Amino acid sequence: MEARINKFRPNPREVEREARAEVLARMMADHEITMEDILALPEGSMEIPIPRKHREEEQPRALCSVGDS
């Protein structure tokens, strides 16, 4: 009986892959990541790349000195 029920349950791995694909598509549409970011992940990885806004380190501002010349 349980085998018959399990036949209709979705494969958890497939559900996870579909959810990841949806997240990646949204992130690409919002320009948070690029295809290069996805391709940089190890093959078969289920990771989500870090969005660009979180990867970019704040650049120190150049100090502008006003001289007394």
Side-chain angles (χ1 to χ4, degrees):
M1 181 72 161
E2 188 174 337
R4 290 182 184 174
I5 294 171
N6 287 338
K7 185 182 355 177
F8 295 103
R9 288 188 179 153
N11 180 343
R13 189 77 172 153
E14 287 179 29
V15 171
E16 188 176 323
R17 282 189 189 128
E18 288 177 14
R20 178 178 179 266
E22 188 174 321
V23 168
L24 292 176
R26 278 195 216 137
M27 290 176 79
M28 285 184 67
D30 293 340
H31 303 287
E32 294 179 1
I33 61 172
T34 63
M35 186 56 99
E36 288 79 26
D37 298 328
I38 295 172
L39 294 175
L41 295 173
E43 188 175 331
S45 172
M46 291 298 287
E47 294 179 40
I48 301 290
I50 298 171
R52 290 177 176 258
K53 63 184 174 188
H54 296 293
R55 274 187 283 159
E56 296 172 353
E57 297 176 3
E58 288 187 27
Q59 299 294 328
R61 295 182 183 180
L63 297 176
C64 297
S65 60
V66 177
D68 293 341
S69 44

